[in-house]
DNA sequence: CGGATAACCATATGGCCATACGGTTTTTAC
DNA sequence: GTAAAAACCGTATGGCCATATGGTTATCCG
């Protein structure tokens, strides 16, 4: 009987506006009024879809992390279809987190801003922790699968390796964020590629003798 | 002729209050009034020492980064005096940045909060960038000195190695921050030590045949 | 002693923001 | 066609905050 609208689409629209504002002027510049204006709607409508500002921010955070994760998974799926070695696929997926172009830069700014606020906002912190854990699990699974393909030494424990790879990726993202032009004459993209490659070479020591696979437990 | 007070001490006192507030309740909880109360003084006095809130925050950020750096340098100096291998000394210095105890946890929270705000505060960003650059320079110098001691292959370029070591350290700090208890049954301290050790082993491949030294260009 | 100067204080002010609230419009079911 | 429910709007309100301002107090020099 009632008038109807696409709830999820509206909420995504608002989340987009939040991200635009954060990326452009920082998390402190995000007010409900400004978000509504950016999204092209009224303050009241934003309130209609989110009980409070905190709820709105939480949803935006979940939205952006989900989007990044989806991109990484797409890359992995594509790599598998093209029968690339796992280490290649993983290198590409990890590079998704390093702010090397405008899109990734925007995402990095948004997630970093949220991570900063997560320091004293348990709901945001939970998203942050869960996201990081999932990434580690994905990496560990890739390493595990690498064993079956002969790319990884069967005796290697995937977990410390996953923590390590997640750490370099995240740290590298910070470095590139601070010096987008690169360091000591080396462009950021090359630096990133070489460091990730080197780091993966420590784990993926064997040749690939099967096609790549990332799925399965 | 005038009444006199220790300017720098007062400013440090205020910076301490800011850090206490950030660590306890986040950067958003830092107001001039609350800072004054925490520092045990009036709002007017804080204004007397800082023209604006931004100036106050900037000084607090500089203060805390300087303090952390001083601690790392102390560690290095002590290591040199005890004739430890450079890789040992460096391992200890890098571990200073990982939030493994309450003091480091507090510092990590404060610097991370500032790093988040630095996304749209050029003055803070400058401090952040400069701090990171200095750390890389210190690491690169250590690697360079490692060559003269025979711990490092003379053909190795210290710069990518320094970026890489800085990246793992920073990334590891994030991981430990999110999972202070450790991951997959491995305590955070052990995980940290083993990863830093492994990472350093890639660079410091030789035996130490001289006493350690970190100074010099 | 006196006055200049810095240290220090309490309050006023003006702006911004999250949220509350009362309303109008549109759709659909019957 | 009408009633109900949701979509949507604009404004009011109350709180909080940075900063401005007009003071008082202590110290020291001459």
């Amino acid at each position: 009987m009632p008038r109807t609208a696409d709830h999820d689409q509206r909420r995504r629209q608002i989340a987009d506006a939040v991200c635009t504002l954060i990326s452009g002027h920082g998390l402190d510049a995000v007010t409900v009024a400004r978000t509504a204006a950016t999204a092209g709607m009224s303050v009241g409508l934003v309130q209609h879809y989110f009980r409070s500002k905190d709820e709105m921010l939480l949803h935006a955070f979940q939205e952006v992390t989900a989007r990044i994760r989806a991109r990484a998974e797409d890359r992995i799926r594509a790599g598998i279809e093209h029968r690339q070695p796992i280490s290649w696929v993983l290198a590409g997926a990890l590079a998704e987190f390093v702010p090397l172009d405008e899109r990734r830069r925007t995402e990095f700014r948004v997630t970093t801003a949220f991570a900063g606020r997560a320091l004293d906002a348990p709901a945001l912190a939970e998203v942050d922790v869960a996201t990081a854990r999932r990434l580690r699990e994905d990496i560990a699974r890739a390493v595990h699968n690498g064993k079956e393909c002969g790319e990884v030494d069967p005796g290697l424990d995937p977990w410390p390796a996953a923590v390590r790879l997640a750490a370099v990726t995240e740290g590298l993202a910070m470095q590139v964020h601070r010096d987008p032009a690169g360091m000591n004459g080396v462009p950021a993209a090359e630096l990133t590629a070489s460091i990730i490659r080197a780091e993966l070479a420590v784990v993926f020591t064997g040749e690939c003798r099967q096609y790549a696979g990332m799925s399965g437990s």
Side-chain angles (χ1 to χ4, degrees), chain A:
Chain A
M1 339 127 144
R3 184 182 178 183
T4 169
D6 187 335
H7 216 73
D8 288 343
Q9 196 238 328
R10 279 307 204 195
R11 286 166 70 98
R12 241 178 291 124
Q13 192 180 344
I14 295 170
D16 279 346
V18 170
C19 291
T20 301
L21 279 173
I22 293 178
S23 169
H25 305 90
L27 189 40
D28 289 330
V30 178
T31 71
V32 175
R34 257 198 283 270
T35 303
T38 304
M41 55 180 78
S42 71
V43 175
L45 193 53
V46 173
Q47 289 180 300
H48 183 69
Y49 286 103
F50 295 103
R51 252 187 271 282
S52 70
K53 186 187 178 184
D54 281 349
E55 199 184 304
M56 178 182 89
L57 291 177
L58 177 61
H59 183 261
F61 192 23
Q62 288 170 329
E63 178 78 21
V64 72
T65 54
R67 209 170 296 174
I68 294 172
R69 186 177 160 79
R71 260 227 327 284
E73 278 176 348
D74 283 352
R75 251 194 117 92
I76 289 170
R77 236 190 309 278
I80 292 173
E81 279 173 19
H82 289 79
R83 305 266 197 275
Q84 294 171 346
I86 293 180
S87 62
W88 281 36
V89 177
L90 195 51
L94 293 181
E96 280 297 321
F97 295 89
V98 181
L100 289 169
D101 57 23
E102 207 49 46
R103 194 187 34 168
R104 282 175 280 184
R105 202 145 30 230
T106 297
E107 286 171 353
F108 180 85
R109 289 172 63 81
V110 173
T111 52
T112 305
F114 275 122
R117 178 152 303 194
L119 287 167
D120 54 311
L124 295 180
E126 204 178 319
V127 174
D128 187 41
V129 171
T131 304
R133 202 195 54 226
R134 272 200 291 263
L135 176 61
R136 280 199 308 269
E137 285 170 355
D138 285 347
I139 297 175
R141 197 177 314 143
V143 172
H144 178 79
N145 290 345
K147 290 185 185 180
E148 296 174 350
C149 297
E151 291 186 60
V152 178
D153 169 27
L156 187 124
D157 185 355
W159 281 106
V163 175
R164 178 176 166 169
L165 288 170
V168 272
T169 304
E170 206 167 342
L172 201 48
M174 297 293 299
Q175 310 288 325
V176 171
H177 157 69
R178 284 190 283 242
D179 297 87
M183 285 157 262
N184 287 86
V186 186
E190 287 179 26
L191 201 57
T192 300
S194 73
I195 288 179
I196 289 183
R197 238 199 312 270
E199 210 62 47
L200 285 171
V202 178
V203 177
F204 292 79
T205 47
E207 284 294 306
C208 177
R209 56 173 159 74
Q210 291 182 19
Y211 59 83
M214 292 273 301
S215 56
S217 69

